[in-house]
Amino acid sequence: MIDDIQAKFRELYQQEPLLVRSPGRVNLIGEHTDYNDGFVLPAAINKEIFFAIAPNNTNQVRMYAFDLQESATFDVNHIQRSKTSWHNYLLGVIAQFQKGKYKVPGFDVVFGGNVPIGAGLSSSAAVECGLAFGLNHLFDFGLEKLSLVKMAQLAEHEYAGVMSGIMDQFASMFGKKNHAIKLDCRSLDYEYMDIDMQDYRIVLCDTRIKHSLAATEYNTRRKECEAGVALLRKHYPEITSLRDVTLPMLEQHQAEFDPVVYRRCTYVVQENNRVLVACQHLEEGDMQAFGQQMYVSHEGLQHDYEVSCPELDFLVDQTRPLKTVAGARMMGGGFGGCTINLVETAAVDAFTKQMADAYQKQFGVTLQLYIASIVDGSSLVDC
């Protein structure tokens, strides 16, 4: 695909571009913990957004979205939010450089890729990180990767209007081949965890459904978590987020909680603990034990955090009797998107057929499946 994007750039702008790739991500475990200052375990995968980019010696930014076959032009000196959503992922990044007092000259860019939209693989973070990486290199701004990650996250907040945690952008930028990233979302300390995928493959089952609840309920969950923290701070002033909360603290003050808020907080505290336990299993090479933590994570998301949906629950339940599946759970914000499954390599073909047949029979929808490999984060492309 990068060849097609490069060719389109040459056709549109009659010059040679810099080529950048920026991956989407999976999250093995640790869902809805990032914006609670918790732990996550993502990995960059071989579903990627590619960029062809070059300066144009004008005051204009000329963009072409390869997958949509749409173009747009903006004055680089008057960057503001657009009514067209895809514009904002790029404009937001430019705005962050400008806020940091980095002068962005006019440039041309063609971008596109194979990160499925709406599947929970963070196509938006891949776009933001790819452009940030490309501009930093193209104009020699000299920013470190962590600064680029923070800028990409702020672009998501301020221009895309989604108050995401930092996990997606961090995984896209800092990914490492054959490794997951154990990330502390409070301190941004991280550790690469070797993940042995010789005997297992990551298979993503995309429901191809995104229920309309997703955006509003995501923000509601954040507010519910904040309400829980506010209540507990009356007793424990040192608490700043659910990262600081223990299960005994919650249990001691359960009577003071709205029952829904209590369940939300309980899930987050338990999920943080699960990430740490799962990482221990990973260090021990025990993928079966790791997979069991995935199943427990899904049950918490389904019943306590209530961000699953019938399609996701069905797909996870279909895997439970299969000895060839170590673990499965919903992934991402919820109400649609993908399940992530750890499947024995030799059984992948049989698994994908069985899951597709069952989903078609149950919902009358063709299940989209992706076999993902863990790759490096954002980088230049050599051609």
Side-chain angles (χ1 to χ4, degrees):
M1 188 172 193
I2 185 66
D3 293 336
D4 294 334
I5 287 171
Q6 184 179 32
K8 188 66 180 180
F9 186 94
R10 289 168 174 159
E11 174 195 329
L12 289 173
Y13 306 120
Q14 292 81 51
Q15 61 171 325
E16 288 300 313
L18 178 79
L19 301 177
V20 173
R21 52 166 286 281
S22 188
R25 64 100 188 97
V26 294
N27 188 27
L28 293 159
I29 195 166
E31 214 65 73
H32 290 276
T33 50
D34 57 346
Y35 55 81
N36 288 294
D37 286 347
F39 295 99
V40 289
L41 191 68
I45 60 168
N46 60 334
K47 302 297 177 189
E48 297 158 313
I49 302 291
F50 299 100
F51 293 79
I53 183 170
N56 61 23
N57 299 314
T58 75
N59 64 351
Q60 292 186 327
V61 177
R62 299 184 296 193
M63 310 172 177
Y64 184 82
F66 186 85
D67 302 324
L68 300 174
Q69 298 183 37
E70 294 180 8
S71 60
T73 300
F74 298 91
D75 185 335
V76 75
N77 297 313
H78 296 92
I79 296 298
Q80 56 189 358
R81 287 186 68 182
S82 167
K83 293 180 180 179
T84 303
S85 61
W86 71 262
H87 299 168
N88 288 320
Y89 298 115
L90 304 173
L91 295 173
V93 171
I94 298 167
Q96 292 307 316
F97 278 102
Q98 292 175 336
K99 280 189 174 183
K101 307 303 182 186
Y102 294 93
K103 182 173 175 56
V104 180
F107 65 91
D108 300 325
V109 61
V110 176
F111 72 100
N114 57 12
V115 184
I117 305 299
L121 304 183
S122 293
S123 56
S124 60
V127 171
E128 293 150 358
C129 288
L131 184 63
F133 187 94
L135 292 177
N136 188 53
H137 194 276
L138 192 67
F139 298 121
D140 198 25
F141 291 137
L143 289 165
E144 295 187 352
K145 288 197 293 186
L146 184 56
S147 296
L148 299 177
V149 164
K150 292 177 179 179
M151 292 167 77
Q153 183 195 20
L154 286 171
E156 182 96 5
H157 289 184
E158 295 175 10
Y159 273 66
V162 179
M163 299 303 293
S164 63
I166 204 165
M167 173 183 68
D168 297 347
Q169 290 83 5
F170 197 99
S172 186
M173 189 72 72
F174 279 88
K176 183 178 179 181
K177 186 176 181 179
N178 297 328
H179 289 76
I181 307 169
K182 179 186 175 184
L183 173 64
D184 180 337
C185 293
R186 167 175 282 170
S187 66
L188 300 185
D189 291 338
Y190 66 98
E191 177 184 357
Y192 287 115
M193 308 288 296
D194 191 356
I195 180 163
D196 183 2
M197 297 304 292
Q198 287 190 339
D199 297 330
Y200 289 90
R201 298 300 300 273
I202 295 172
V203 182
L204 305 170
C205 295
D206 184 357
T207 62
R208 301 182 69 184
I209 287 169
K210 197 68 176 176
H211 292 283
S212 58
L213 289 168
T216 55
E217 289 297 319
Y218 179 89
N219 291 331
T220 298
R221 293 301 177 279
R222 291 195 66 146
K223 290 176 182 176
E224 288 166 341
C225 292
E226 291 164 3
V229 170
L231 189 155
L232 287 171
R233 286 196 69 184
K234 297 174 184 177
H235 306 283
Y236 310 97
E238 69 277 13
I239 287 173
T240 60
S241 71
L242 287 178
R243 164 67 175 278
D244 302 315
V245 175
T246 65
L247 289 174
M249 286 179 186
L250 284 169
E251 291 163 1
Q252 184 174 347
H253 300 283
Q254 181 175 358
E256 301 168 49
F257 274 84
D258 174 273
V260 171
V261 171
Y262 183 80
R263 291 203 309 275
R264 306 294 191 249
C265 295
T266 298
Y267 162 78
V268 172
V269 174
Q270 290 176 333
E271 184 78 348
N272 258 331
N273 294 337
R274 275 191 287 271
V275 175
L276 301 179
V277 171
C279 286
Q280 186 174 339
H281 292 319
L282 207 56
E283 288 181 327
E284 296 164 353
D286 191 341
M287 296 301 281
Q288 288 290 327
F290 183 94
Q292 288 306 303
Q293 293 298 316
M294 294 173 67
Y295 279 122
V296 179
S297 173
H298 183 81
E299 289 162 10
L301 289 159
Q302 179 182 2
H303 299 296
D304 290 333
Y305 220 61
E306 295 184 285
V307 291
S308 190
C309 64
E311 295 87 354
L312 291 167
D313 297 337
F314 176 83
L315 288 171
V316 171
D317 289 342
Q318 287 295 300
T319 70
R320 294 182 189 275
L322 303 179
K323 294 181 180 179
T324 56
V325 179
R329 68 178 193 87
M330 63 150 279
M331 187 183 71
F335 305 103
C338 284
T339 63
I340 179 170
N341 306 265
L342 290 181
V343 183
E344 289 182 6
T345 303
V348 166
D349 289 345
F351 173 81
T352 56
K353 183 180 188 308
Q354 181 175 339
M355 295 297 283
D357 289 348
Y359 195 71
Q360 178 70 43
K361 183 178 179 181
Q362 181 73 12
F363 296 106
V365 175
T366 300
L367 184 68
Q368 188 72 54
L369 294 116
Y370 309 101
I371 300 169
S373 300
I374 298 177
V375 300
D376 290 329
S378 302
S379 68
L380 300 180
V381 177
D382 295 324
C383 288

